Amino acid sequence: MRNWNQQLACGLLALVLLSGAGATAANNAILLNVSYDVSREFYKEFNSAFAADWKDKTGNRVTINQSHGGSSKQAQSVVNGLEADVVTMNQPTDVDVLFSSARLIPQNWAARLPNHSVPFNSTIVFLVRRDNPKNIHTWEDLIQPGISVIIPNPKTSGNGRYSYLAAWGHVLKKSAGDEQQAREFVGKLFANVPVLDTGGRGATTTFAERGIGDVLLTFENEAATVQANFADTGLEVVVPPDSILAESPVAWVDRYVQKHHTEAVARAYLEYLYSDAGQELAAKYYFRPKSQAALNKFPNRFKPLELFTVNDVTGGWDKAQKTHFADGGIFDQIYQPNK
């Protein structure tokens, strides 16, 4: 009897301990944010800010893990089974594919958050060497003989696609929509590209660390990060007269937040991007926030330029993907890698 009572007491103690452990686990969520290459620095600080805010509001802890790479490669990783709770990409097609290829999210995902689930924007700018020795200021300067241009691969990188479409759109605007001129211009541009990295951060490494190229085409936020990280090199940002509007859509991944029981915290995480604190942090990292109040706090940060959209240039992302970046599309036709 004494042994039985001891066994019963031990069993009850184990249940109590397990119950406590379960409650602790329930109050300590873990999120995985699968994102694109050049958002690392922003989300590192944003994650800390959100975790503190979540703790203040709910008393619960949250840990946010990050995965970064070329936007389209990241999206495909989620389709292939990487269990992202949220995705924060740089073009809507890399979120759409989660529905079209795997039904991980609903088709109307973009309607679930403000501004079609785009909390902030960026654009493509030029990063040049100290004192701009090649005198690069406009898109036309990029196709001159002897200019080496670093751009990531448009087939694997949203950064690369935006750079390609920015050049294409610039020529369409100047030529009253002449697509043959645009094709010839972009062909000359990529003839000046010595290497295609798979993502934006790889292109940054090629330009800033390996010293290859006269100019890097990249997102405005990445250009600012590179300047700060390589301050001794004197790299300079050149904002062209016109460029493309680069949107950064976000979504929680329904199948995986349901599996992980993280839907509430995942949604709150993305909603925090639209908060005053989230918008100010976006502006701090050179993303162009939607909030005018956040913009007002950085009055001289964002130089004015004429922005056109992917829809203006190609009629939308679906058409752009099929026409320009699918296998056998215009990019494959015009790009001849250096041998």
Side-chain angles (χ1 to χ4, degrees), residues 28 61 70 94 96 124 136 171 176 178 182 186 210 269 300 311 320 329-330:
N28 290 271
R61 297 183 184 276
D94 289 335
D96 285 333
I124 296 296
I136 296 168
V171 179
D178 189 326
V186 175
R210 298 173 60 196
Y269 177 77
N300 301 314
N311 193 61
I330 293 176

Side-chain angles (χ1 to χ4, degrees), residues 190-230:
F190 276 88
N192 283 348
V193 177
V195 60
L196 286 178
D197 294 287
T198 58
R201 189 50 58 88
T204 291
T205 299
T206 294
F207 181 76
E209 292 189 13
R210 298 173 60 196
I212 297 174
D214 301 305
V215 55
L216 171 70
L217 269 61
T218 192
F219 291 125
E220 188 172 32
N221 64 289
E222 175 72 348
T225 297
V226 178
Q227 269 192 307
N229 291 342
F230 295 88

